[in-house]
Amino acid sequence: MSSAPHREAERGGGQQTLERVPLELSTTESWLDPFDWYAEMRENHPVRYDERRRVWDVFRYADAARILSDPMTFSSDPTRATELDLPEPEARGPLFETMLTSDGSRHDRLRGVVEESFRPRSLVPRAPHIRDVADDLLDDVVDRGEMDLIADFAYPLPVVVIAELLGVPTEDRPTFKRWSDTLVETPADTSEAGLEAFARERRRVDDELRAYFEAILDDRRTDPRDDLVSDIVHAESDGETLSHEEAVGFCILLLVAGNVTTTNLLGNAVRCLTAHPDAMARLAADPTLTTTAVEEVLRYRSPVQALVRVATRDVELAGADVHTGDAVVPWLGSANRDPAVFDAPDEFRIDRTPNSHLGFGRGTHYCLGAPLARLEARIALEQLFARVTDVERASTELDPVRSAFIYGVRSFPIRYRAHPETTPRPQVETVDDGATTRRTDRNA
Ligand code: HEM
């Protein structure tokens, strides 16, 4: 049985150890394609302790699923970790006060504030508008014959959608991008001076985000509207449901979670499809395949590759001896390629069923925005292939998102031809959460 060879490892110069990536992923190639490394780890070191990051890395599906399904043993609260360099409590910022980092009744209370708004039935009326937003973005680039899929389409679409849901001005989206990038990326310069500059930039972004959302929360206190910020203000105003700090954290979480991940889902989808032209041709010819194609991208190139939990008791994990307070990182991206669960896991199959990937997590923290992300991705791909054809990569170079958790590319130039025929828009929009399908009629 292995156990963490505690605990004399050198401290990380004040950098949050959670932001560090494993050394094995420190080259551009491995960041872009970590899957060979995952395969080796699943086979030979399915649970290993990384002394540098002071976390347990977990690579097999069964172990990752077990961790996520047992929140009593594996807490989502990083402050329970004994070996991580977290910022001092006063410097932690509102993102430490969210449902994502809470357990038990606090988590349920926070999630309950907005849960209803993200259910498929609440999203149905929004589907036609999401299609309009996608189409407007495509109007600007279709005739050009080339675009950066990320900057021109995959970034603006989800950010406009979540900004509208929240009720914040969509014109502020360049600022949202700078904020989100700073919050998810790992420092490029790991010298002491570089890490300090990174920590300062983080604090600056925390302060800017706090000031931005405090002003909007103030506004909705006097002028409530039909948006999520108003729901959050309402929950804060009863003095029990939400504290002020939680209200601010809520807005930031929804803004960041609602755009970074979906941008990378779309970028990863087009990356997969340009690498598999047969699959792209099939999808373009038969848009009903889009739902399963999106699930396959979530499995094959998962936008969230890893999560973090903290052991609340001593526990054995696939032969490893994990102690109370140890941080554990289930690698979703590896679990999703586990041959114990998926037939030919390294094949990209747009009609794969069943497809029980962990791309949205599992258990109590299962992605709140999953129905929205699925809807946006399906509409985005349907509209893209309705408007353009012969899509191919326009650059051989790829620049990965440099994050310990988020997986995608920063830009993805493509070439294409405008579609010679106009495809009619669906008259009935559907929203599917895997179990149920809900419909809205455009003419109703
Ligand atoms: C492709 C897009 C997305 C992916 C891959 C994704 C992935 C995930 C994953 C893996 C988790 C589980 C975290 C954990 O267990 O610790 C999660 C949670 C969450 N996601 Fe998403 N997400 C996506 C889109 C969205 C969108 C559009 C929103 C909407 C605002 C959203 C909001 C959230 C929230 C609030 C949580 C925390 C839920 C909780 O703690 O109960 N996500 N997401």
Side-chain angles (χ1 to χ4, degrees):
M1 216 183 246
S2 66
S3 98
H6 296 209
R7 305 239 152 177
E8 305 304 323
E10 198 186 315
R11 291 271 148 190
Q15 183 198 356
Q16 285 193 43
T17 42
L18 284 182
E19 286 150 7
R20 291 186 157 193
V21 288
L23 273 184
E24 292 88 342
L25 294 187
S26 53
T27 64
T28 300
E29 292 68 34
S30 57
W31 224 315
L32 286 168
D33 274 299
F35 305 103
D36 287 348
W37 176 58
Y38 292 161
E40 195 222 312
M41 298 307 281
R42 271 192 316 269
E43 184 72 25
N44 300 318
H45 310 280
V47 178
R48 70 106 190 236
Y49 191 73
D50 182 347
E51 286 188 48
R52 208 177 117 266
R53 290 156 52 243
R54 299 197 293 280
V55 302
W56 291 97
D57 289 307
V58 176
F59 295 94
R60 287 187 184 157
Y61 186 103
D63 299 323
R66 174 183 158 200
I67 291 166
L68 300 180
S69 307
D70 183 1
M72 297 286 276
T73 308
F74 297 100
S75 161
S76 287
D77 178 357
T79 65
R80 297 181 74 159
T82 47
E83 296 292 313
L84 295 180
D85 280 329
L86 297 175
E88 295 303 316
E90 61 282 3
R92 281 186 189 156
L95 272 182
F96 275 83
E97 302 283 333
T98 69
M99 70 180 100
L100 196 60
T101 51
S102 307
D103 299 320
S105 57
R106 177 167 195 242
H107 165 265
D108 300 347
R109 167 172 60 82
L110 293 170
R111 189 166 166 130
V113 173
V114 290
E115 202 159 30
E116 192 53 40
S117 305
F118 287 94
R119 289 198 204 284
R121 66 166 169 266
S122 309
L123 296 172
V124 165
R126 296 193 175 265
H129 176 62
I130 296 176
R131 202 175 288 278
D132 290 341
V133 176
D135 247 352
D136 287 348
L137 292 166
L138 291 168
D139 282 344
D140 292 341
V141 290
V142 159
D143 291 334
R144 243 203 261 155
E146 56 182 32
M147 66 163 138
D148 175 4
L149 182 93
I150 305 293
D152 293 322
F153 193 53
Y155 173 69
L157 176 65
V159 85
V160 166
V161 171
I162 192 67
E164 287 178 351
L165 260 173
L166 273 166
V168 301
T170 53
E171 309 84 77
D172 293 340
R173 68 187 197 221
T175 317
F176 300 155
K177 174 142 179 64
R178 181 169 61 79
W179 286 337
S180 305
D181 287 351
T182 307
L183 290 181
V184 301
E185 297 213 353
T186 192
D189 174 0
T190 52
S191 68
E192 202 163 318
L195 293 177
E196 271 168 27
F198 181 82
R200 266 199 310 280
E201 176 62 11
R202 262 282 164 89
R203 281 197 295 276
R204 196 160 68 92
V205 165
D206 272 348
D207 292 345
E208 288 176 9
L209 271 161
R210 177 191 295 278
Y212 182 83
F213 278 112
E214 280 185 339
I216 293 178
L217 286 161
D218 268 351
D219 179 75
R220 295 305 191 279
R221 257 175 226 120
T222 48
D223 180 17
R225 297 188 204 161
D226 181 19
D227 59 30
L228 287 176
V229 175
S230 301
D231 294 347
I232 291 167
V233 161
H234 182 71
E236 188 196 8
S237 64
D238 70 9
E240 283 176 17
T241 314
L242 276 190
S243 71
H244 178 63
E245 195 67 4
E246 287 169 343
V248 175
F250 225 117
C251 297
I252 301 175
L253 173 66
L254 293 178
L255 179 69
V256 176
N259 78 70
V260 177
T261 45
T262 315
T263 296
N264 288 305
L265 173 59
L266 292 176
N268 295 351
V270 178
R271 182 177 171 204
C272 289
L273 291 165
T274 50
H276 296 88
D278 292 353
M280 185 156 60
R282 244 184 105 196
L283 185 64
D286 180 2
T288 63
L289 286 168
T290 314
T291 304
T292 48
V294 167
E295 297 307 307
E296 181 65 343
V297 177
L298 284 158
R299 182 193 74 82
Y300 187 83
R301 291 198 186 277
S302 316
V304 176
Q305 289 282 307
L307 298 173
V308 182
R309 295 292 189 265
V310 180
T312 59
R313 61 177 174 87
D314 292 354
V315 58
E316 196 229 304
L317 203 56
D321 207 0
V322 174
H323 293 290
T324 309
D326 283 355
V328 177
V329 173
W331 285 87
L332 308 182
S334 172
N336 286 340
R337 298 279 190 121
D338 191 334
V341 177
F342 300 99
D343 182 33
D346 295 324
E347 279 178 25
F348 178 69
R349 297 181 180 167
I350 57 169
D351 55 357
R352 186 182 288 272
T353 26
N355 189 344
S356 51
H357 64 76
L358 298 180
F360 286 125
R362 174 164 289 187
T364 47
H365 290 273
Y366 184 81
C367 177
L368 174 79
L372 177 62
R374 286 184 162 122
L375 175 66
E376 290 181 65
R378 179 170 60 73
I379 289 179
L381 293 179
E382 283 172 1
Q383 284 317 108
L384 180 69
F385 292 112
R387 305 282 308 270
V388 303
T389 180
D390 300 332
V391 178
E392 57 181 28
R393 264 174 75 172
S395 154
T396 49
E397 300 289 304
L398 285 180
D399 187 12
V401 172
R402 286 165 205 273
S403 161
F405 306 103
I406 301 289
Y407 173 76
V409 287
R410 285 173 165 165
S411 78
F412 198 77
I414 53 173
R415 266 189 299 267
Y416 45 82
R417 282 189 309 117
H419 218 295
E421 297 151 30
T422 320
T423 315
R425 285 159 150 260
Q427 290 304 300
V428 175
E429 296 278 3
T430 55
V431 181
D432 194 348
D433 68 357
T436 48
T437 301
R438 307 203 174 250
R439 297 163 183 280
T440 184
D441 190 332
R442 262 185 180 263
N443 302 318

